Amino acid sequence: MSNKLSQLKEFTTIVADTGDITAIKDFLPEDATTNPSLMLKAAQIPEYAPFIDQAVAWAKEQSNDKAQQVIDASDKLAVIVGTEILKYIPGRISTEVDARLSYDKEATIEKARRLIKLYEEAGISKDRVLIKAASTWEGIKAAEELEKEGINCNLTLLFSFAQAQACAEAGVFLISPFVGRILDWYKKSTGQEYTAETDPGVVSVTEIYNYYKQHGYKTIVMGASFRNIGEIEQLAGCDRLTISPNLLEELKKDEGTLERKLVPVSDVTPAGEAITEQAFRWALNEDAMATEKLAEGIRNFAVDQRKLEKMIEEKL
């Protein structure tokens, strides 16, 4: 009997949720995702010191303004790390737009183009990169324009059905609904414990997956932010799952049988009317969990981005 990680790979594309190149070499995922928190963690690994030095040296060549140098070095570091990761995976790297731009559509588009330009200058074609942005209305509308330019996007910090519906209607390449963070909120809010089957994050992603398949949306569903392998097992069959190294290791050591849970429907039916901005904002407002976790996620990514920039600034 093969281990559960091998079984999972038979019907779900595995993505490594880490910026740690050593872990990526160990687990050989299809794709990899990074975010400001993972970048900050990776930047503290000794092997990454040359990457930071390289980014800083490059930034100094671009501008004499220190504030601009910090921004340039941060962008360059993300691309250097992404380029290095791409040496060890056959698929794509997700690189995140600054969380502080989450409510600015035009700035998100500009930053995405900038990151893609840096990748192309490094010899990486845009079809190997996904631009990550928060699933705010502005982030989704920015992604809609970027997709039309051939820049594929990964809409992250997704906690509600309204966000998922808007992403699909915008033609977004991929969404990352956050399973574990949804569970965190409900456990804290209700004081209850949940089984893998009743886990609110699992229920949410299952609903989104079924809706996309029922209506023939091409947007890829990639479950993210897992707290335990039970959540992963309940979403076996999801298009993609991005999993941290410690949970990948657990799956690798588990020799039990893994059953596929999510299966596309055979009959596709037309979807209803597209969600409006007003309806989107109201639905998000009515969902306390999604509102709170989206705002918290953006704040936390911004905090880690500032910490990363502080590390860079000290080297300038």
Short mmCIF file of all heavy atoms in Angstrom, two decimals, residues 91-146:
data_model
loop_
_atom_site.label_atom_id
_atom_site.label_comp_id
_atom_site.label_asym_id
_atom_site.label_seq_id
_atom_site.Cartn_x
_atom_site.Cartn_y
_atom_site.Cartn_z
N GLY A 91 5.92 23.07 -12.23
CA GLY A 91 4.80 23.97 -12.47
C GLY A 91 5.08 25.44 -12.21
O GLY A 91 6.03 26.00 -12.74
N ARG A 92 4.25 26.04 -11.37
CA ARG A 92 4.26 27.49 -11.18
C ARG A 92 4.61 27.88 -9.75
O ARG A 92 4.37 27.14 -8.81
CB ARG A 92 2.87 28.07 -11.49
CG ARG A 92 2.40 27.88 -12.93
CD ARG A 92 0.98 28.38 -13.04
NE ARG A 92 0.42 28.23 -14.38
CZ ARG A 92 0.10 29.25 -15.18
NH1 ARG A 92 0.32 30.49 -14.79
NH2 ARG A 92 -0.43 29.05 -16.36
N ILE A 93 5.11 29.12 -9.64
CA ILE A 93 5.33 29.73 -8.34
C ILE A 93 4.30 30.85 -8.17
O ILE A 93 4.06 31.61 -9.11
CB ILE A 93 6.78 30.30 -8.21
CG1 ILE A 93 7.01 30.92 -6.82
CG2 ILE A 93 7.07 31.32 -9.29
CD1 ILE A 93 7.07 29.92 -5.70
N SER A 94 3.70 30.94 -6.99
CA SER A 94 2.80 32.05 -6.68
C SER A 94 3.58 33.10 -5.91
O SER A 94 4.17 32.80 -4.87
CB SER A 94 1.62 31.56 -5.83
OG SER A 94 0.70 30.83 -6.61
N THR A 95 3.57 34.32 -6.39
CA THR A 95 4.27 35.43 -5.76
C THR A 95 3.26 36.51 -5.42
O THR A 95 2.48 36.93 -6.29
CB THR A 95 5.38 35.98 -6.68
OG1 THR A 95 6.34 34.94 -6.91
CG2 THR A 95 6.07 37.18 -6.06
N GLU A 96 3.29 36.98 -4.19
CA GLU A 96 2.22 37.84 -3.68
C GLU A 96 2.49 39.32 -3.84
O GLU A 96 3.60 39.82 -3.61
CB GLU A 96 1.98 37.53 -2.19
CG GLU A 96 0.73 38.18 -1.64
CD GLU A 96 -0.01 37.29 -0.67
OE1 GLU A 96 0.37 36.12 -0.51
OE2 GLU A 96 -0.98 37.76 -0.07
N VAL A 97 1.44 40.03 -4.23
CA VAL A 97 1.46 41.49 -4.27
C VAL A 97 1.44 42.01 -2.83
O VAL A 97 0.84 41.39 -1.95
CB VAL A 97 0.23 42.00 -5.05
CG1 VAL A 97 0.03 43.49 -4.87
CG2 VAL A 97 0.36 41.66 -6.54
N ASP A 98 2.08 43.13 -2.59
CA ASP A 98 2.09 43.77 -1.27
C ASP A 98 0.67 43.88 -0.73
O ASP A 98 -0.21 44.46 -1.37
CB ASP A 98 2.72 45.16 -1.41
CG ASP A 98 2.98 45.85 -0.09
OD1 ASP A 98 2.31 45.54 0.91
OD2 ASP A 98 3.86 46.73 -0.06
N ALA A 99 0.44 43.33 0.47
CA ALA A 99 -0.90 43.32 1.07
C ALA A 99 -1.44 44.72 1.28
O ALA A 99 -2.67 44.92 1.33
CB ALA A 99 -0.87 42.56 2.39
N ARG A 100 -0.56 45.69 1.40
CA ARG A 100 -1.00 47.07 1.63
C ARG A 100 -1.69 47.66 0.39
O ARG A 100 -2.28 48.75 0.47
CB ARG A 100 0.19 47.93 2.05
CG ARG A 100 0.73 47.58 3.43
CD ARG A 100 2.08 48.19 3.72
NE ARG A 100 3.12 47.64 2.85
CZ ARG A 100 4.43 47.89 3.00
NH1 ARG A 100 4.84 48.68 3.97
NH2 ARG A 100 5.31 47.35 2.18
N LEU A 101 -1.64 46.94 -0.72
CA LEU A 101 -2.31 47.38 -1.95
C LEU A 101 -3.66 46.70 -2.14
O LEU A 101 -4.28 46.84 -3.20
CB LEU A 101 -1.41 47.09 -3.16
CG LEU A 101 0.01 47.66 -3.11
CD1 LEU A 101 0.77 47.27 -4.37
CD2 LEU A 101 0.00 49.17 -2.93
N SER A 102 -4.12 45.98 -1.13
CA SER A 102 -5.31 45.13 -1.27
C SER A 102 -6.58 45.88 -1.64
O SER A 102 -7.51 45.28 -2.18
CB SER A 102 -5.55 44.34 0.02
OG SER A 102 -4.49 43.44 0.27
N TYR A 103 -6.63 47.18 -1.34
CA TYR A 103 -7.84 47.96 -1.65
C TYR A 103 -7.57 48.99 -2.75
O TYR A 103 -8.30 49.96 -2.89
CB TYR A 103 -8.37 48.63 -0.38
CG TYR A 103 -8.81 47.61 0.65
CD1 TYR A 103 -7.99 47.26 1.71
CD2 TYR A 103 -10.05 46.96 0.53
CE1 TYR A 103 -8.38 46.29 2.63
CE2 TYR A 103 -10.44 46.00 1.44
CZ TYR A 103 -9.60 45.67 2.49
OH TYR A 103 -9.98 44.71 3.40
N ASP A 104 -6.52 48.75 -3.54
CA ASP A 104 -6.15 49.65 -4.62
C ASP A 104 -5.98 48.83 -5.90
O ASP A 104 -4.95 48.21 -6.12
CB ASP A 104 -4.84 50.37 -4.26
CG ASP A 104 -4.48 51.49 -5.24
OD1 ASP A 104 -4.85 51.40 -6.42
OD2 ASP A 104 -3.81 52.45 -4.81
N LYS A 105 -7.00 48.85 -6.73
CA LYS A 105 -7.00 48.04 -7.95
C LYS A 105 -5.84 48.41 -8.88
O LYS A 105 -5.10 47.53 -9.33
CB LYS A 105 -8.33 48.25 -8.69
CG LYS A 105 -8.40 47.61 -10.07
CD LYS A 105 -9.66 48.03 -10.81
CE LYS A 105 -9.57 47.70 -12.29
NZ LYS A 105 -10.73 48.21 -13.05
N GLU A 106 -5.67 49.69 -9.16
CA GLU A 106 -4.66 50.11 -10.12
C GLU A 106 -3.24 49.83 -9.60
O GLU A 106 -2.37 49.41 -10.37
CB GLU A 106 -4.81 51.60 -10.44
CG GLU A 106 -6.12 51.95 -11.15
CD GLU A 106 -6.36 51.12 -12.41
OE1 GLU A 106 -5.38 50.84 -13.14
OE2 GLU A 106 -7.52 50.75 -12.66
N ALA A 107 -3.01 50.04 -8.31
CA ALA A 107 -1.68 49.77 -7.74
C ALA A 107 -1.38 48.28 -7.76
O ALA A 107 -0.22 47.87 -7.96
CB ALA A 107 -1.60 50.32 -6.33
N THR A 108 -2.41 47.45 -7.56
CA THR A 108 -2.23 46.00 -7.62
C THR A 108 -1.83 45.58 -9.03
O THR A 108 -0.92 44.77 -9.21
CB THR A 108 -3.53 45.28 -7.19
OG1 THR A 108 -3.79 45.57 -5.82
CG2 THR A 108 -3.42 43.77 -7.38
N ILE A 109 -2.50 46.13 -10.02
CA ILE A 109 -2.18 45.83 -11.42
C ILE A 109 -0.74 46.25 -11.73
O ILE A 109 0.04 45.49 -12.34
CB ILE A 109 -3.17 46.53 -12.37
CG1 ILE A 109 -4.57 45.92 -12.23
CG2 ILE A 109 -2.69 46.46 -13.82
CD1 ILE A 109 -5.66 46.67 -12.97
N GLU A 110 -0.37 47.44 -11.30
CA GLU A 110 0.98 47.96 -11.56
C GLU A 110 2.05 47.07 -10.91
O GLU A 110 3.07 46.75 -11.53
CB GLU A 110 1.09 49.39 -11.02
CG GLU A 110 2.42 50.05 -11.30
CD GLU A 110 2.49 51.46 -10.75
OE1 GLU A 110 1.43 52.06 -10.48
OE2 GLU A 110 3.62 51.96 -10.57
N LYS A 111 1.80 46.66 -9.65
CA LYS A 111 2.77 45.81 -8.95
C LYS A 111 2.87 44.44 -9.62
O LYS A 111 3.97 43.88 -9.76
CB LYS A 111 2.36 45.64 -7.49
CG LYS A 111 3.30 44.76 -6.67
CD LYS A 111 4.67 45.39 -6.50
CE LYS A 111 4.67 46.43 -5.42
NZ LYS A 111 6.07 46.94 -5.14
N ALA A 112 1.74 43.90 -10.05
CA ALA A 112 1.74 42.60 -10.74
C ALA A 112 2.57 42.66 -12.02
O ALA A 112 3.39 41.78 -12.29
CB ALA A 112 0.31 42.18 -11.05
N ARG A 113 2.37 43.71 -12.79
CA ARG A 113 3.14 43.87 -14.03
C ARG A 113 4.63 44.00 -13.72
O ARG A 113 5.47 43.47 -14.44
CB ARG A 113 2.66 45.11 -14.78
CG ARG A 113 1.28 44.96 -15.41
CD ARG A 113 0.82 46.29 -15.95
NE ARG A 113 -0.50 46.22 -16.59
CZ ARG A 113 -1.29 47.28 -16.78
NH1 ARG A 113 -0.90 48.47 -16.36
NH2 ARG A 113 -2.47 47.14 -17.36
N ARG A 114 4.93 44.70 -12.64
CA ARG A 114 6.32 44.88 -12.22
C ARG A 114 6.96 43.53 -11.88
O ARG A 114 8.08 43.24 -12.30
CB ARG A 114 6.33 45.80 -11.00
CG ARG A 114 7.64 45.89 -10.24
CD ARG A 114 8.65 46.71 -10.98
NE ARG A 114 9.77 47.05 -10.12
CZ ARG A 114 10.95 47.44 -10.58
NH1 ARG A 114 11.14 47.53 -11.88
NH2 ARG A 114 11.94 47.75 -9.77
N LEU A 115 6.26 42.72 -11.11
CA LEU A 115 6.80 41.41 -10.73
C LEU A 115 7.00 40.51 -11.95
O LEU A 115 8.03 39.83 -12.07
CB LEU A 115 5.87 40.74 -9.71
CG LEU A 115 5.82 41.38 -8.32
CD1 LEU A 115 4.67 40.81 -7.50
CD2 LEU A 115 7.14 41.19 -7.58
N ILE A 116 6.03 40.52 -12.85
CA ILE A 116 6.15 39.71 -14.07
C ILE A 116 7.34 40.19 -14.91
O ILE A 116 8.10 39.37 -15.46
CB ILE A 116 4.85 39.77 -14.89
CG1 ILE A 116 3.72 39.02 -14.16
CG2 ILE A 116 5.05 39.20 -16.29
CD1 ILE A 116 3.96 37.53 -13.98
N LYS A 117 7.55 41.51 -14.99
CA LYS A 117 8.69 42.06 -15.73
C LYS A 117 10.00 41.58 -15.11
O LYS A 117 10.93 41.19 -15.83
CB LYS A 117 8.61 43.59 -15.72
CG LYS A 117 9.72 44.28 -16.53
CD LYS A 117 9.46 45.78 -16.61
CE LYS A 117 10.50 46.49 -17.48
NZ LYS A 117 11.83 46.57 -16.84
N LEU A 118 10.08 41.58 -13.79
CA LEU A 118 11.30 41.12 -13.12
C LEU A 118 11.53 39.63 -13.37
O LEU A 118 12.68 39.20 -13.57
CB LEU A 118 11.21 41.39 -11.61
CG LEU A 118 11.29 42.86 -11.19
CD1 LEU A 118 11.07 43.01 -9.69
CD2 LEU A 118 12.65 43.46 -11.57
N TYR A 119 10.46 38.85 -13.38
CA TYR A 119 10.60 37.42 -13.70
C TYR A 119 11.10 37.23 -15.14
O TYR A 119 11.99 36.42 -15.40
CB TYR A 119 9.27 36.69 -13.52
CG TYR A 119 9.06 36.11 -12.14
CD1 TYR A 119 8.07 36.61 -11.29
CD2 TYR A 119 9.84 35.07 -11.67
CE1 TYR A 119 7.88 36.09 -10.01
CE2 TYR A 119 9.66 34.53 -10.40
CZ TYR A 119 8.68 35.05 -9.58
OH TYR A 119 8.50 34.53 -8.32
N GLU A 120 10.52 37.99 -16.05
CA GLU A 120 10.92 37.85 -17.45
C GLU A 120 12.38 38.26 -17.65
O GLU A 120 13.11 37.64 -18.43
CB GLU A 120 9.98 38.67 -18.34
CG GLU A 120 8.59 38.05 -18.44
CD GLU A 120 7.60 38.87 -19.25
OE1 GLU A 120 7.83 40.10 -19.40
OE2 GLU A 120 6.61 38.29 -19.73
N GLU A 121 12.82 39.28 -16.91
CA GLU A 121 14.23 39.69 -16.97
C GLU A 121 15.15 38.61 -16.41
O GLU A 121 16.33 38.53 -16.78
CB GLU A 121 14.42 41.01 -16.21
CG GLU A 121 13.83 42.21 -16.92
CD GLU A 121 13.87 43.48 -16.08
OE1 GLU A 121 14.30 43.41 -14.90
OE2 GLU A 121 13.47 44.55 -16.60
N ALA A 122 14.58 37.78 -15.53
CA ALA A 122 15.35 36.66 -14.96
C ALA A 122 15.25 35.40 -15.82
O ALA A 122 15.76 34.33 -15.44
CB ALA A 122 14.86 36.37 -13.55
N GLY A 123 14.55 35.51 -16.96
CA GLY A 123 14.43 34.38 -17.88
C GLY A 123 13.27 33.47 -17.60
O GLY A 123 13.20 32.35 -18.13
N ILE A 124 12.32 33.94 -16.76
CA ILE A 124 11.14 33.13 -16.42
C ILE A 124 9.92 33.68 -17.15
O ILE A 124 9.57 34.86 -16.99
CB ILE A 124 10.87 33.16 -14.89
CG1 ILE A 124 12.11 32.71 -14.11
CG2 ILE A 124 9.65 32.32 -14.55
CD1 ILE A 124 12.54 31.29 -14.36
N SER A 125 9.27 32.85 -17.95
CA SER A 125 8.08 33.30 -18.67
C SER A 125 6.89 33.41 -17.72
O SER A 125 6.82 32.72 -16.71
CB SER A 125 7.76 32.35 -19.82
OG SER A 125 7.44 31.06 -19.32
N LYS A 126 5.96 34.29 -18.07
CA LYS A 126 4.83 34.56 -17.17
C LYS A 126 3.92 33.35 -16.98
O LYS A 126 3.17 33.30 -16.01
CB LYS A 126 4.03 35.76 -17.67
CG LYS A 126 3.39 35.59 -19.03
CD LYS A 126 2.73 36.90 -19.45
CE LYS A 126 2.13 36.81 -20.84
NZ LYS A 126 1.53 38.09 -21.28
N ASP A 127 4.00 32.37 -17.87
CA ASP A 127 3.15 31.19 -17.71
C ASP A 127 3.65 30.25 -16.61
O ASP A 127 3.05 29.21 -16.36
CB ASP A 127 2.97 30.43 -19.03
CG ASP A 127 4.27 29.88 -19.60
OD1 ASP A 127 5.34 30.09 -18.98
OD2 ASP A 127 4.22 29.24 -20.66
N ARG A 128 4.75 30.63 -15.95
CA ARG A 128 5.22 29.84 -14.80
C ARG A 128 5.00 30.58 -13.48
O ARG A 128 5.47 30.14 -12.43
CB ARG A 128 6.69 29.49 -14.96
CG ARG A 128 6.97 28.56 -16.14
CD ARG A 128 8.23 27.76 -15.92
NE ARG A 128 8.08 26.82 -14.82
CZ ARG A 128 9.12 26.24 -14.19
NH1 ARG A 128 10.36 26.56 -14.53
NH2 ARG A 128 8.91 25.38 -13.22
N VAL A 129 4.28 31.70 -13.56
CA VAL A 129 4.07 32.54 -12.37
C VAL A 129 2.58 32.78 -12.16
O VAL A 129 1.84 33.00 -13.11
CB VAL A 129 4.79 33.90 -12.52
CG1 VAL A 129 4.59 34.76 -11.28
CG2 VAL A 129 6.27 33.70 -12.81
N LEU A 130 2.16 32.74 -10.90
CA LEU A 130 0.82 33.20 -10.52
C LEU A 130 1.00 34.40 -9.61
O LEU A 130 1.77 34.35 -8.65
CB LEU A 130 0.04 32.11 -9.78
CG LEU A 130 -0.36 30.88 -10.57
CD1 LEU A 130 -1.11 29.90 -9.67
CD2 LEU A 130 -1.25 31.25 -11.76
N ILE A 131 0.31 35.47 -9.91
CA ILE A 131 0.33 36.65 -9.06
C ILE A 131 -0.74 36.51 -7.99
O ILE A 131 -1.92 36.34 -8.31
CB ILE A 131 0.10 37.94 -9.89
CG1 ILE A 131 1.26 38.17 -10.85
CG2 ILE A 131 -0.11 39.14 -8.96
CD1 ILE A 131 2.60 38.44 -10.20
N LYS A 132 -0.32 36.56 -6.73
CA LYS A 132 -1.26 36.42 -5.62
C LYS A 132 -1.74 37.80 -5.17
O LYS A 132 -0.95 38.72 -5.00
CB LYS A 132 -0.60 35.72 -4.43
CG LYS A 132 -0.45 34.23 -4.59
CD LYS A 132 0.21 33.61 -3.38
CE LYS A 132 -0.75 33.43 -2.23
NZ LYS A 132 -0.10 32.73 -1.09
N ALA A 133 -3.04 37.89 -4.95
CA ALA A 133 -3.64 39.12 -4.41
C ALA A 133 -4.78 38.73 -3.49
O ALA A 133 -5.37 37.66 -3.65
CB ALA A 133 -4.14 40.01 -5.54
N ALA A 134 -5.08 39.58 -2.54
CA ALA A 134 -6.18 39.30 -1.61
C ALA A 134 -7.51 39.36 -2.35
O ALA A 134 -7.69 40.14 -3.29
CB ALA A 134 -6.17 40.32 -0.47
N SER A 135 -8.47 38.55 -1.88
CA SER A 135 -9.79 38.47 -2.53
C SER A 135 -10.72 39.58 -2.06
O SER A 135 -11.86 39.35 -1.66
CB SER A 135 -10.43 37.11 -2.25
OG SER A 135 -9.65 36.07 -2.77
N THR A 136 -10.22 40.82 -2.11
CA THR A 136 -11.08 41.99 -1.95
C THR A 136 -11.75 42.26 -3.29
O THR A 136 -11.33 41.70 -4.32
CB THR A 136 -10.24 43.22 -1.56
OG1 THR A 136 -9.25 43.42 -2.58
CG2 THR A 136 -9.54 43.02 -0.21
N TRP A 137 -12.75 43.14 -3.31
CA TRP A 137 -13.37 43.49 -4.58
C TRP A 137 -12.33 44.08 -5.53
O TRP A 137 -12.26 43.73 -6.71
CB TRP A 137 -14.52 44.48 -4.38
CG TRP A 137 -15.21 44.84 -5.65
CD1 TRP A 137 -15.05 45.97 -6.40
CD2 TRP A 137 -16.16 44.02 -6.37
NE1 TRP A 137 -15.84 45.93 -7.53
CE2 TRP A 137 -16.54 44.76 -7.53
CE3 TRP A 137 -16.74 42.78 -6.14
CZ2 TRP A 137 -17.45 44.26 -8.46
CZ3 TRP A 137 -17.65 42.28 -7.07
CH2 TRP A 137 -18.00 43.02 -8.21
N GLU A 138 -11.46 44.95 -4.97
CA GLU A 138 -10.43 45.59 -5.78
C GLU A 138 -9.42 44.57 -6.30
O GLU A 138 -8.97 44.65 -7.45
CB GLU A 138 -9.73 46.67 -4.96
CG GLU A 138 -10.61 47.86 -4.60
CD GLU A 138 -11.52 47.60 -3.40
OE1 GLU A 138 -11.42 46.51 -2.77
OE2 GLU A 138 -12.34 48.48 -3.09
N GLY A 139 -9.05 43.62 -5.44
CA GLY A 139 -8.11 42.58 -5.85
C GLY A 139 -8.68 41.71 -6.96
O GLY A 139 -7.98 41.35 -7.91
N ILE A 140 -9.96 41.38 -6.85
CA ILE A 140 -10.62 40.54 -7.86
C ILE A 140 -10.73 41.28 -9.19
O ILE A 140 -10.48 40.72 -10.27
CB ILE A 140 -12.00 40.09 -7.36
CG1 ILE A 140 -11.85 39.16 -6.14
CG2 ILE A 140 -12.78 39.37 -8.47
CD1 ILE A 140 -13.13 38.91 -5.38
N LYS A 141 -11.09 42.56 -9.14
CA LYS A 141 -11.21 43.35 -10.37
C LYS A 141 -9.83 43.58 -11.02
O LYS A 141 -9.71 43.62 -12.24
CB LYS A 141 -11.89 44.69 -10.06
CG LYS A 141 -13.36 44.57 -9.68
CD LYS A 141 -14.20 44.13 -10.86
CE LYS A 141 -14.91 42.82 -10.66
NZ LYS A 141 -15.77 42.43 -11.78
N ALA A 142 -8.80 43.72 -10.18
CA ALA A 142 -7.44 43.83 -10.73
C ALA A 142 -7.07 42.54 -11.45
O ALA A 142 -6.52 42.56 -12.56
CB ALA A 142 -6.45 44.12 -9.60
N ALA A 143 -7.38 41.41 -10.82
CA ALA A 143 -7.08 40.11 -11.42
C ALA A 143 -7.83 39.92 -12.73
O ALA A 143 -7.29 39.34 -13.69
CB ALA A 143 -7.44 38.99 -10.44
N GLU A 144 -9.05 40.41 -12.80
CA GLU A 144 -9.84 40.29 -14.03
C GLU A 144 -9.11 40.97 -15.19
O GLU A 144 -9.03 40.41 -16.30
CB GLU A 144 -11.22 40.94 -13.83
CG GLU A 144 -12.16 40.75 -14.99
CD GLU A 144 -13.58 41.19 -14.67
OE1 GLU A 144 -13.76 42.06 -13.79
OE2 GLU A 144 -14.52 40.66 -15.29
N GLU A 145 -8.54 42.13 -14.95
CA GLU A 145 -7.79 42.83 -16.01
C GLU A 145 -6.47 42.12 -16.32
O GLU A 145 -6.07 42.00 -17.48
CB GLU A 145 -7.53 44.28 -15.60
CG GLU A 145 -8.79 45.13 -15.59
CD GLU A 145 -8.49 46.63 -15.58
OE1 GLU A 145 -7.37 47.02 -15.98
OE2 GLU A 145 -9.39 47.39 -15.18
N LEU A 146 -5.80 41.67 -15.28
CA LEU A 146 -4.52 40.99 -15.48
C LEU A 146 -4.69 39.70 -16.28
O LEU A 146 -3.86 39.38 -17.14
CB LEU A 146 -3.86 40.69 -14.12
CG LEU A 146 -3.36 41.93 -13.37
CD1 LEU A 146 -3.03 41.57 -11.92
CD2 LEU A 146 -2.12 42.51 -14.06
#
